[in-house]
Amino acid sequence: MLLSHRYNFLYIHIAKTGGTSMRAALNKLRWTDPMYYLMFPCHKISQLSGHKTASKLPRHAGVIAAKEMLPAAVFDNLFKFAFVRNPWDLQVSSYHHIQKEAPHLLSGINNFSEFIHYKLDANRPAIFHFDISTKRQTDHLVDLDGKIVVDFIGRYENLSEDFIQVQQRLNLKQLTMPHKRKAPKRDADYRQYYSDETAEKVARYFAKDIRLLNYAFE
C-alpha cells in the first residue's frame, strides 16, 4: 500500500497485478512530499512504542487497514485505487514467480496442476509466497461491511491505459512505469496451463473475484 499526502492518493497493492512496476513509478513522487520525511521517524517511534499508526502501511494490506487507522476525514478525501487481474492468469504468474524467486518451495511439485492443487489446499502449512496470491482480490477493496470503498479499479490487462487514467485523475505529469520483476518466459495464453479440473478449482476458490470483477476463463 502506498500513501501520498501531497498528491492525496492511496494505492492498494494487490500481489501479481503489476504493482512493483507501479510502485516504482509512484515512488518518484515521494521526494517532493514533505510528509514523507516525517513518516519514517514516525514509523520508527510507532515500532518502539508498540502503538500502531498509519505512518507506514503494510505492502499488500487491504484498504480496510487504512480506513481503520487513518482519520475519517483524511481517508475519505484520498483518491483510492487498485489494480486487479484475471484470477486464472494471476495463478500462472504466481507459479513462474515462485520458480524464479523461491524454487525450493516447489520441491516435490512437478507441474502447474500439482502447484494449483497444493496451493489451494486448505490443509497445507502457511507459506508466504503461496499465501500472498491466495487472498481474494476483492478482499483488498472492501470495508468491514463488505462494501467496495476504492474509487478506481484498474485492470492488469489494460495496465498502461488505466494507469494514465490514474495520473489524469491526480493531475500528475506523465510517469514512466518500468517493467519490474519480469517473469521468465511463459506461454502467453494462460489457458494452456489448465486442465478442466484445475480451471474449475480456481473458479470455485476465486468465485467472488470472478463474479464481482467480471472475469471469465476465455
Side-chain angles (χ1 to χ4, degrees), residues 11-23 59-60 81-87 89-91 93-94 97 132-133 135-138 140-141 153-160 162-163 177 179-181 209 213 215:
Y11 166 54
I12 296 92
H13 182 175
I14 300 173
K16 310 310 300 171
T17 61
T20 301
S21 297
M22 189 165 303
R23 289 177 70 96
R59 185 182 183 91
H60 293 297
F81 67 97
F83 278 72
V84 297
R85 186 174 187 171
N86 182 300
D89 187 38
L90 190 151
Q91 295 309 314
S93 177
S94 173
H97 173 74
I132 196 170
S133 53
K135 181 178 179 180
R136 277 74 171 181
Q137 296 177 72
T138 46
H140 290 81
L141 311 177
I153 301 174
R155 293 182 179 266
Y156 178 85
E157 295 78 17
N158 303 313
L159 187 62
S160 296
D162 287 353
F163 187 49
M177 185 164 55
H179 193 169
K180 296 285 187 177
R181 289 193 174 181
D209 287 351
L213 301 175
Y215 277 113

Side-chain angles (χ1 to χ4, degrees), residues 46-61:
S46 171
Q47 287 181 315
L48 291 172
S49 68
H51 179 69
K52 298 298 183 183
T53 69
S55 53
K56 185 177 181 181
L57 294 160
R59 185 182 183 91
H60 293 297

Side-chain angles (χ1 to χ4, degrees), residues 85 88-89 92-93 95-96 99 183-194:
R85 186 174 187 171
W88 291 278
D89 187 38
V92 173
S93 177
Y95 178 60
H96 284 287
Q99 282 185 323
K185 187 176 180 181
R186 52 160 281 189
D187 195 315
D189 186 350
Y190 66 84
R191 294 172 298 180
Q192 301 303 314
Y193 289 81
Y194 286 92

